[in-house]
């Protein structure tokens, strides 16, 4: 079987207009896929040059395939099963700055360049005091980008639109803040700082698409289907969302909405971030301890179980959606999309895998809504309370295996050695939750009671009784 190269598939013939930091599965299955759609529809004519953010990466493998790869979309979308494959042809080069630093900097003088995208993981947008302008290269992503932008400024070129995709809040603002810090530290001058501030646009963005990546277990099947060997194919769900906070000019330069893609340009992305964190990530986190204690293995198992799918339905309707500051109709539509994604027959999304670092996830994704509900209604949210009780039981580590920082696991182990005080001890532990949860009115007694009921009967009976009580209320 022939390998995927430009001998089999014609490359996109367009100038390089985009510099992308990150060659991983997500960026190739999300950003580059969208640029492909723009070029396919002749709404945009521009290619992508990728910068490998770490010394070891996929650059060599991509170059060996002439930077071609396949995106496989599998899942449910608007009630239809999607199972498609498309070769992405818009990546024209992958640069390793650790070996090609001068080549990387020379791209700063490209007249056609318009955009910089990035996904260097949550840890990528960080300041390293040791980075210097003369390093070849600086270690951090912001350090590399500062050097690149300084070269562009020195060459008298126009500023760029910079849209990071890292999963941190206010990612564009934080990236700009670090770049300005380097500009001062490296004495790059007031004119450069003014150019950075006035000629470049730093957008905050929020991304949403599940991209499992290379389908290792079924790669041979896909190769047979495609008729070529592709070592870098990327599997993703059909659903995608990109929220970009920035001026109207960005929407005009990047016509993603016109291409029919699920992209939102807004002046304030805060409500959309809350929507994703609490309506998508929140239910994942809520279902994990409850479903794992019931012996379920995947998200699809949860959604096909009438009891637990009912739990998720009521969680959305009664505890999550009412607490978010977006139009209810819009939130209901988004919730239905999420339920459809949870039912993806191709995902095989393991609850055990999702359970990694569940304490931190509960704190970020559910606790703010939990507290808001308790404050506004002067009572505890029943379904999230069941999830919290099941979470404490799960971390007792005697029914299912937990995956978390050993220090956190040890704190639970130590607390559970005194069963009568375990719940109070754990809820008071600010190192776990960032606050003393025992101060929430009646929470300790409620969680103790729920755990007692779960252990006396089982989790299914407790969920069933709670759902019945809520439906009859």
């Amino acid at each position: 079987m022939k390998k995927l190269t430009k001998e089999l598939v014609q490359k996109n013939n367009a100038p390089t207009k985009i510099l992308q930091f990150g060659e991983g599965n997500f960026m190739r299955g999300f950003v580059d896929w969208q640029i492909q759609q723009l070029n396919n529809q002749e709404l945009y004519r521009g290619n992508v040059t990728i910068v490998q953010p770490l010394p070891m990466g996929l650059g060599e493998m991509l170059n060996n395939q002439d930077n071609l790869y396949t995106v496989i979309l599998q899942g449910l979308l608007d009630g239809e099963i999607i199972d498609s494959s498309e070769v992405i042809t818009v990546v024209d080069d992958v640069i390793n700055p650790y070996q090609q630093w001068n080549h990387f900097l020379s791209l700063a003088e490209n007249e056609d360049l318009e955009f910089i995208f990035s996904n260097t993981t949550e840890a990528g947008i960080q300041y390293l005091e040791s980075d210097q302008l003369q390093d070849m290269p600086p270690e951090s992503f912001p350090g590399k980008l500062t050097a690149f932008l300084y070269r562009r400024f020195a060459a008298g070129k126009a500023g760029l639109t910079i849209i990071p995709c890292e999963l941190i809040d206010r990612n564009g603002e934080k990236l700009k803040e670090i770049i300005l810090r380097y500009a001062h530290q490296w004495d790059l001058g007031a004119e450069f700082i003014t150019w950075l501030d006035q000629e470049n646009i730093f957008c905050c963005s929020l991304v949403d698409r599940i991209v499992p990546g290379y389908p290792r277990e079924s790669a041979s099947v896909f190769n047979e289907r495609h008729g070529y060997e592709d070592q870098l194919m990327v599997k993703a769900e059909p659903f995608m969302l990109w929220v970009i906070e920035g001026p109207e000019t960005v929407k005009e330069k990047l016509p993603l909405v016109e291409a029919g893609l699920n992209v939102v340009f807004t002046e304030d992305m805060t409500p959309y971030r809350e929507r994703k964190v609490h309506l998508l990530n929140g239910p994942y986190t809520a279902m994990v301890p409850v479903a794992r204690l019931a012996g379920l293995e995947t998200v699809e198992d949860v959604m096909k179980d009438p009891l637990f799918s009912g739990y998720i339905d009521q969680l959305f309707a009664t505890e999550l959606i009412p607490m978010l500051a977006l139009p209810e109709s819009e939130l209901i539509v988004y919730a239905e999309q999420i339920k459809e994604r949870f039912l993806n027959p191709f995902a095989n999304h393991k609850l055990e895998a999702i359970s990694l670092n569940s304490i931190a996830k509960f704190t970020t994704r559910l606790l703010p809504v939990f507290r808001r509900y308790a404050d506004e209604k002067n009572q505890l949210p029943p379904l999230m309370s069941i999830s919290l009780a099941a979470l404490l039981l799960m971390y007792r580590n005697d029914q299912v295996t937990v995956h978390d920082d050993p220090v956190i696991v040890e704190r639970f182990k130590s607390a559970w050695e005194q069963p009568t005080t375990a719940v109070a001890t754990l809820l008071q532990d600010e190192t776990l939750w960032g606050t003393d949860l025992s101060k929430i009115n009646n929470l300790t007694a409620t969680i103790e009671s729920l755990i007692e009921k779960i252990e006396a009967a089982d989790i299914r009976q407790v969920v069933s009784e709670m759902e019945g009580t809520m439906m009859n209320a």
Side-chain angles (χ1 to χ4, degrees):
M1 184 177 292
K2 290 186 176 180
K3 293 183 178 181
L4 175 60
T5 65
K6 63 185 178 183
E7 293 181 5
L8 295 178
V9 177
Q10 185 176 351
K11 296 279 295 191
N12 190 57
N13 181 23
T16 297
K17 293 184 177 181
I18 296 165
L19 190 69
Q20 175 178 303
F21 286 83
E23 82 287 20
N25 292 320
F26 181 80
M27 291 298 275
R28 290 187 291 118
F30 184 79
V31 170
D32 299 330
W33 177 86
Q34 291 181 73
I35 301 304
Q36 181 80 30
Q37 308 317 305
L38 291 181
N39 279 273
N40 289 348
Q41 297 180 42
E42 299 182 350
L43 293 170
Y44 186 80
R45 186 170 179 269
N47 279 354
V48 180
T49 289
I50 296 177
V51 181
Q52 187 175 295
L54 299 173
M56 302 298 293
L58 299 175
E60 186 175 347
M61 290 179 67
L62 276 161
N63 285 324
N64 287 339
Q65 290 190 179
D66 295 323
N67 303 304
L68 296 164
Y69 64 93
T70 312
V71 169
I72 303 155
L73 300 183
Q74 287 190 322
L76 294 170
L77 188 64
D78 298 330
E80 294 185 16
I81 292 179
I82 306 296
D83 188 1
S84 66
S85 299
E86 180 179 15
V87 177
I88 304 303
T89 64
V90 297
V91 178
D92 53 22
D93 196 12
V94 182
I95 295 172
N96 184 342
Y98 297 86
Q99 300 173 1
Q100 302 168 287
W101 180 242
N102 289 328
H103 179 32
F104 163 72
L105 287 180
S106 70
L107 289 174
E109 300 179 20
N110 180 355
E111 293 275 3
D112 295 317
L113 203 61
E114 295 179 335
F115 293 97
I116 293 179
F117 304 128
S118 70
N119 190 0
T120 56
T121 78
E122 291 89 328
I125 298 182
Q126 63 171 323
Y127 168 79
L128 294 179
E129 188 174 0
S130 58
D131 275 351
Q132 300 296 327
L133 179 63
Q134 61 269 26
D135 292 343
M136 302 176 64
E139 183 179 347
S140 72
F141 155 55
K144 296 181 184 72
L145 182 53
T146 305
F148 183 89
L149 292 172
Y150 185 64
R151 170 68 75 92
R152 189 166 180 84
F153 161 77
K157 304 300 180 184
L160 303 169
T161 299
I162 300 159
I163 310 179
C165 299
E166 286 82 355
L167 296 176
I168 61 173
D169 192 22
R170 311 303 302 167
N171 46 23
E173 289 178 2
K174 290 181 180 177
L175 179 59
K176 182 179 180 179
E177 177 185 312
I178 296 172
I179 289 172
L180 287 170
R181 189 173 179 182
Y182 281 127
H184 287 286
Q185 178 186 322
W186 297 348
D187 295 323
L188 300 183
E191 289 186 10
F192 173 61
I193 291 171
T194 299
W195 178 85
L196 267 179
D197 192 47
Q198 297 182 0
E199 302 297 324
N200 296 270
I201 300 171
F202 288 80
C203 298
C204 295
S205 87
L206 178 145
V207 296
D208 186 3
R209 172 174 259 178
I210 298 171
V211 183
Y214 183 74
R216 192 169 305 280
E217 295 178 358
S218 52
S220 60
V221 175
F222 284 115
N223 284 333
E224 287 293 333
R225 182 169 100 174
H226 300 150
Y228 53 77
E229 181 185 348
D230 182 356
Q231 296 184 337
L232 289 162
M233 66 182 97
V234 175
K235 185 177 174 181
E237 67 170 340
F239 177 89
M240 55 78 53
L241 169 67
W242 198 359
V243 180
I244 300 172
E245 182 183 288
E248 188 71 18
T249 54
V250 179
K251 181 179 180 179
E252 295 168 0
K253 289 171 61 178
L254 197 63
L256 297 165
V257 176
E258 190 178 343
L261 300 174
N262 191 22
V263 178
V264 175
F265 288 90
T266 178
E267 294 181 355
D268 181 11
M269 62 174 282
T270 304
Y272 295 95
R273 183 182 185 277
E274 285 200 350
R275 186 182 76 168
K276 176 180 184 284
V277 169
H278 301 318
L279 275 196
L280 172 64
N281 303 128
Y284 271 130
T285 300
M287 76 170 67
V288 162
V290 176
R292 290 196 74 199
L293 290 181
L296 302 184
E297 293 187 359
T298 68
V299 175
E300 188 181 6
D301 290 342
V302 173
M303 299 307 293
K304 287 185 173 180
D305 185 301
L307 176 65
F308 290 110
S309 65
Y311 173 86
I312 296 300
D313 284 343
Q314 291 199 39
L315 180 70
F316 275 119
T318 64
E319 297 185 10
L320 299 180
I321 287 175
M323 294 297 109
L324 298 182
L326 279 173
E328 184 181 27
S329 58
E330 183 179 324
L331 295 172
I332 289 172
V333 169
Y334 187 58
E336 291 303 315
Q337 291 174 331
I338 291 168
K339 293 175 197 175
E340 186 175 64
R341 296 166 72 186
F342 286 170
L343 276 166
N344 186 347
F346 300 100
N348 194 31
H349 213 166
K350 299 286 188 183
L351 295 171
E352 183 174 359
I354 301 171
S355 73
L356 177 67
N357 301 330
S358 284
I359 301 301
K361 289 176 178 175
F362 188 95
T363 301
T364 301
R365 300 171 175 184
L366 289 175
L367 188 55
V369 185
F370 191 107
R371 297 183 71 110
R372 198 176 304 163
Y373 186 104
D375 290 342
E376 290 186 12
K377 296 184 176 290
N378 199 29
Q379 64 183 55
L380 299 175
L383 300 174
M384 281 189 278
S385 294
I386 289 178
S387 179
L388 179 56
L391 183 65
L392 300 192
L393 267 182
M394 185 176 82
Y395 268 72
R396 197 169 65 185
N397 213 14
D398 60 346
Q399 298 183 54
V400 296
T401 303
V402 296
H403 303 279
D404 211 319
D405 186 312
V407 174
I408 290 176
V409 175
E410 182 58 34
R411 296 187 84 86
F412 274 87
K413 179 183 177 182
S414 176
W416 277 112
E417 287 174 354
Q418 304 294 329
T420 58
T421 59
V423 172
T425 299
L426 291 167
L427 292 179
Q428 291 169 2
D429 192 337
E430 296 187 23
T431 62
L432 296 176
W433 320 102
T435 187
D436 181 352
L437 293 187
S438 69
K439 292 180 180 179
I440 299 176
N441 188 38
N442 204 35
L443 181 60
T444 301
T446 298
I447 299 302
E448 287 176 338
S449 176
L450 284 169
I451 288 176
E452 185 178 332
K453 289 179 180 179
I454 293 169
E455 300 223 273
D458 61 47
I459 189 72
R460 281 185 172 274
Q461 183 173 328
V462 175
V463 171
S464 179
E465 289 176 358
M466 184 68 73
E467 286 188 20
T469 301
M470 294 178 69
M471 291 179 68
N472 294 327

